[in-house]
Structures are given as structure tokens and as C-alpha cells.
Amino acid sequence: MTEKKKKKSVEEKLSLKNESVWKDADKKTIKEIFDYAEGYKEFLNEAKTEREAVAHIISEAEKLGFKPLDSVKKLKAGDKVYVVNREKNAALVVIGKKPISEGVNLVGSHIDAPRVDLKVHPIYEDSDGEMALFKTHYYGGIKKYQWVNIPLAIHGVIYTKEGKRVDMKIGEDDSDEVFVFADLLPHLARKTQGERKGTAVIEGEELNLLVGSMPIDDKETKAKIKTNVLKILNDRFGIMEEDFLRAELEIVPAWKARDVGFDRGMVGAYGQDDRICGYTSFTAIAEVKKPERTAISVFFDKEEIGSDGNTGAQSNFLVILMAELLKHEGNTAMFDVLDALRRSMALSADVDAGINPTYKNVHDLRNAAKIGHGIIVTKFTGSGGKYSSNDAHAEYMSFVTRLFNEKKVPWQAGELGKVDEGGGGTIAKYISQHGVETVDCGPGVISMHSPMELSSKADIYASHLAYKAFLESVWD
Ligand code: MN
Ligand code: MN
């Protein structure tokens, strides 16, 4: 052996390797990855709101034998139960062989996604433009200019004066009408938009949804176009103007999930942050049979606006869930609940930023995640000096990464972006507040929070493998 070759082998031995999942993938593996993505795309098309995600997950879980927790008298190992909180937050639980008092394995994702909501008094008529429009208030961190001039659908619930619930989903069928935020033509945009800052090209109060352009055939009526829209809605759904204030109507892209690229290696779709983790943690727990420790996949609402509210990760949902589970072991004291949480461990399942080849400058490339290189273990999130970050302990990083190596889960470590570039948070810090050992762990996404987010099919499947390995694991 020459001296040169020896040196190389030392490098090989000591240096970190981070290779593309595709690199050595055989045909069978690629087929497995591609087949898995088909189910994921269907889920994205079905679940465009948090309510739809919960409904879809629970109906699939019921087919697999999951039962409402309060319908089970005495839990035993292998039992599959679920809890739903106000249609927007849910947990699937597979009872383990070890007592729950010794702690659980938890994968927590969020199923809300950035979107545009209606204001409480949305509908108005513009008499100069002769159109009816909805006033809106966006939800989460969107780049507003990305939402104009694309086909949009309206999903949600609305309650009538009598308290009758009406479910709405308009714009998803190819024969449905769609809705649009109309942008300004370039010919006349020189001053109005050209002199604005990039982030303000479209302002919040300019996201006015075009919903009608034809007048009602009635001489007495003043606001003819608005009234025509109200009449159509009343005929179809039995609702009236006042009902909009007792509604949750969400405006989302009307298009479906698609394969991206000639090789079809990526998925392009709305809502991948964070339904990519919602779906993969669902399919993971669906495959958990009789684990050592109790396994839980939990789906939170409101992460995109700070995890607030009684369906978000800052609520006491986890504490109450743990208390309900522990009742079956005869433990009802608050201490028992807190102690079981302290003995638990979690993956905060959320997406991280993949390198966008056109905007590499925002990353420290040595610490940025590559699309197609597996699930990302993100030790800390936060911004500008690790503020608002969970920052996982080295001991736990050691456990999780060794687990992934042992179970052959493709993974990489990553950080959101350059130190002073910006930042973002996840539910990790809210889960760890309960004493739960926690680290962020999810696939990379490009064009995050846009109406067409991009992810690698390899990373989607790696996430499923990672969450399954974790749910079935024991940290000795
Ligand atoms: Mn997220
Ligand atoms: Mn997000």
C-alpha cells in the first residue's frame, strides 16, 4: 500500500459521510420510495386544512383498529387508541409492554399550514370595478405575492343562525369554480408595486378574493353583485352574510400534489409543512404492533401562528392525554403525570430548509440540509443566538443518531440557515417544557410556506422509517 492511499483511508475512516439516498439505491428501493409517495400525495389532496387532516387520519386509523380512548375500559399492550381534540388536534396511541409510568415515545407534528383566512365580515362589492370580493387575513408566514393569480379553493365550516353546521369545499373538483387574488398588470405596476420593498409587493389588505362579477336580476337591490353571490350561497348552503362571523373558511391552493422533475424524484404540493410529518408519523405508528414503550403520534394545530390556543402544542393536551392513559394504571396524582412525561422522549417532527440551489447564500453550506439526503436531525432551531430554541442535549442526539444508524435510516444533521440570516421555531420547545427529552427531526423542504412546496421522495420515505424506528425504540 502506498503512503498516499493510507492517508486517504484515514480520511475515509474519520470524516463524516453524508450521501444521497439515491446514490446506491437499487430498483426495489426506488420502487418502494416511489410507491410510498403515491399515498402521501393522496393525503395532501384530501387534507388541505387541519380539520381535514384529522378527519382523514382518524378514519384511516379506525380502519386499522384504533378505537376512541374513552371507549376502552382497561388498556393492555398492543391496544390501539386515539383521542381527538376539537377536530383540529389528535393523537394515535399504541400501548407498550412497559408501564406508561416509565414514559412514552412521542412523535409530534403539526397539521396546520400557512394559508389565507376570511375576515369576520368578508364580503363587499366594489362599485367601480363591479365585482364582489372577500376581505381576508393571512395565517402564518406567507410571502403574499406568491398567492396572487393562482387558482384557489375555499375549505371549512360555517354555522347558520340556527346553529346548523355547513361543511364547505369549493374549488377542488375540476368542474368547480375557483377564486383568485387578482394582481396588478405589469403595464401599470411601475409606481404602485415597483417602488415597494420586496416583502410588501402585495400588502395584507390587498389580498381581496374575487368571488363574483355578475349582478342579480332585481331592480330594487342596490349592491347587485354582492347580493347575487349571497343568493348563490344561500341557495346552495342555506347561509347568509351574518354567518361568516361564525365560520372557519380557509383559502388554499386549488391544485393537486404533483411529481416534479423529469425523474419524478420530488413532490410539489401545497401544505407539505408540516403534513409531510403528519402523514409519515401516521404511517409509522400504523405499522407499530406491540412496542416496548407506549408509542404516540400526536398532530397539533396552530404551529404556524405560535402553537397558541387550546389545540396548539402550548396547550395542556399532552398533559391531559398522559393523565388519561395513566388512569388505566391506577395513577391519578399530578406527580405521576409529570413524572411519566419527564421519563418520555420525543421527536418534534417538522420540516427544515433544504438547500435551494439558486439561493445558497442564506445557508452555511457545511451545516445546511441537502434534499434527498435523508431526514434531518436539527439539534437546535430558533434565531440569532439560539433564542426560542429547544437545543437538544448531546446525550439525546447520541441516542437518536445511533438509533438511525442501527436501523439504517438515511439521515443528516442540519441547521436552518446562516446564524444571523433569519430563523424559525417548532413545537420542540413546548414539548420539552413538560420535561420530555426532545429533538427536531423532519425532512427538508424547498420553497417552504409557498403554495407549491417541494420535497424529495427519498426524504419522505426516510421520515417514515425514522419515525417508525423511534416509536419502537428503547433508550437504555
Ligand atoms: Mn412546520
Ligand atoms: Mn412552517
Side-chain angles (χ1 to χ4, degrees):
M1 211 177 266
T2 65
E3 189 62 28
K4 205 181 169 192
K5 269 185 185 165
K6 253 190 206 165
K7 271 184 188 162
K8 200 182 170 194
S9 74
V10 174
E11 185 185 19
E12 259 180 14
K13 216 171 147 188
L14 297 183
S15 300
L16 174 77
K17 272 194 211 75
N18 173 222
E19 284 170 347
S20 166
V21 175
W22 302 120
K23 194 178 157 237
D24 294 317
D26 54 21
K27 274 193 178 147
K28 191 173 152 266
T29 308
I30 293 174
K31 187 178 184 302
E32 228 171 280
I33 290 171
F34 271 56
D35 286 350
Y36 183 84
E38 291 306 302
Y40 172 56
K41 285 187 286 176
E42 275 171 38
F43 174 73
L44 289 176
N45 295 340
E46 286 294 316
K48 288 198 179 179
T49 67
E50 52 287 327
R51 284 177 194 257
E52 289 170 1
V54 166
H56 191 80
I57 287 168
I58 296 304
S59 92
E60 291 302 308
E62 280 178 338
K63 287 181 207 161
L64 297 166
F66 284 83
K67 294 188 172 68
L69 174 58
D70 56 16
S71 74
V72 179
K73 280 220 175 75
K74 183 94 180 90
L75 290 171
K76 56 178 190 312
D79 278 356
K80 297 188 274 189
V81 291
Y82 69 81
V83 176
V84 176
N85 176 21
R86 296 169 172 89
E87 296 186 24
K88 300 173 182 177
N89 166 209
L92 301 181
V93 184
V94 180
I95 304 298
K97 292 181 220 160
K98 290 174 184 281
I100 292 159
S101 57
E102 288 183 21
V104 301
N105 295 358
L106 186 103
V107 177
S109 62
H110 68 90
I111 45 166
D112 63 318
R115 59 175 189 258
V116 183
D117 288 342
L118 295 192
K119 290 193 181 190
V120 283
H121 299 301
I123 189 165
Y124 71 100
E125 174 167 328
D126 185 282
S127 54
D128 298 314
E130 298 216 353
M131 281 177 206
L133 303 107
F134 281 169
K135 292 299 295 180
T136 67
H137 195 140
Y138 60 94
Y139 172 99
I142 63 166
K143 290 167 99 174
K144 291 173 283 259
Y145 70 81
Q146 295 177 336
W147 292 70
V148 298
N149 285 13
I150 61 168
L152 296 163
I154 298 176
H155 292 227
V157 294
I158 181 163
Y159 283 87
T160 67
K161 218 170 189 170
E162 298 74 34
K164 189 177 151 259
R165 172 183 174 141
V166 179
D167 283 272
M168 231 182 237
K169 190 173 180 176
I170 312 166
E172 293 298 338
D173 195 279
D174 284 345
S175 63
D176 280 357
E177 67 274 41
V178 293
F179 311 92
V180 176
F181 295 120
D183 195 4
L184 184 57
L185 67 170
H187 317 64
L188 300 177
R190 200 179 300 161
K191 279 192 205 145
T192 302
Q193 289 178 330
E195 289 168 14
R196 291 180 183 178
K197 276 177 70 177
T199 48
V201 168
I202 301 288
E203 307 264 21
E205 291 294 347
E206 290 171 344
L207 287 180
N208 300 320
L209 192 72
L210 181 52
V211 295
S213 58
M214 289 170 68
I216 195 165
D217 184 17
D218 176 29
K219 284 199 183 68
E220 306 291 294
T221 304
K222 282 193 203 116
K224 287 190 169 54
I225 300 163
K226 172 187 161 183
T227 307
N228 194 37
V229 168
L230 284 173
K231 173 83 168 50
I232 292 168
L233 287 171
N234 187 263
D235 290 346
R236 239 161 102 183
F237 300 105
I239 56 172
M240 49 204 279
E241 185 171 4
E242 186 186 312
D243 300 336
F244 283 110
L245 60 85
R246 36 183 170 253
E248 282 174 359
L249 295 172
E250 306 179 7
I251 299 159
V252 295
W255 51 53
K256 292 187 164 44
R258 303 291 293 263
D259 289 344
V260 174
F262 289 117
D263 52 19
R264 296 178 170 256
M266 300 182 87
V267 170
Y270 163 69
Q272 298 203 65
D273 171 12
D274 184 34
R275 294 185 194 121
I276 195 168
C277 297
Y279 182 74
T280 50
S281 64
F282 162 69
T283 60
I285 200 159
E287 290 180 6
V288 172
K289 297 292 176 246
K290 201 186 264 185
E292 288 299 314
R293 281 157 67 90
T294 292
I296 304 179
S297 284
V298 54
F299 313 92
F300 284 108
D301 177 31
K302 300 239 181 343
E303 192 276 342
E304 295 295 353
I305 55 168
S307 296
D308 295 297
N310 60 8
T311 49
Q314 291 204 62
S315 73
N316 61 7
F317 178 74
L318 269 187
V319 178
I320 292 180
L321 172 63
M322 200 57 125
E324 280 187 70
L325 292 171
L326 282 167
K327 264 199 289 188
H328 288 261
E329 291 178 357
N331 295 323
T332 52
M334 194 58 188
F335 171 78
D336 297 322
V337 176
L338 298 179
D339 189 52
L341 281 165
R342 185 174 62 88
R343 292 164 186 271
S344 296
M345 55 182 189
L347 295 182
S348 163
D350 206 343
V351 297
D352 200 341
I355 297 171
N356 178 333
T358 308
Y359 299 101
K360 290 193 288 197
N361 58 305
V362 300
H363 298 283
D364 162 18
L365 292 175
R366 280 180 204 86
N367 286 285
K370 287 190 169 77
I371 289 296
H373 284 230
I375 194 164
I376 307 155
V377 182
T378 306
K379 186 176 183 295
F380 47 86
T381 58
S383 58
K386 293 194 176 179
Y387 279 90
S388 300
S389 170
N390 162 62
D391 206 350
H393 303 297
E395 291 76 10
Y396 193 49
M397 285 295 287
S398 168
F399 163 69
V400 171
T401 55
R402 281 184 296 117
L403 172 74
F404 289 171
N405 285 341
E406 186 199 322
K407 300 288 177 184
K408 304 222 167 356
V409 174
W411 69 276
Q412 57 186 318
E415 197 176 329
L416 187 59
K418 275 184 183 164
V419 176
D420 290 329
E421 198 70 38
T426 64
I427 62 168
K429 62 173 185 166
Y430 305 118
I431 295 179
S432 62
Q433 272 173 7
H434 299 297
V436 181
E437 204 70 56
T438 308
V439 67
D440 277 295
C441 187
V445 163
I446 289 180
S447 297
M448 203 188 290
H449 287 198
S450 81
M452 191 70 168
E453 299 176 310
L454 304 169
S455 65
S456 165
K457 289 183 180 176
D459 300 338
I460 301 165
Y461 193 56
S463 303
H464 164 81
L465 297 176
Y467 299 148
K468 190 182 174 211
F470 175 80
L471 289 169
E472 291 174 334
S473 71
V474 178
W475 183 16
D476 288 319

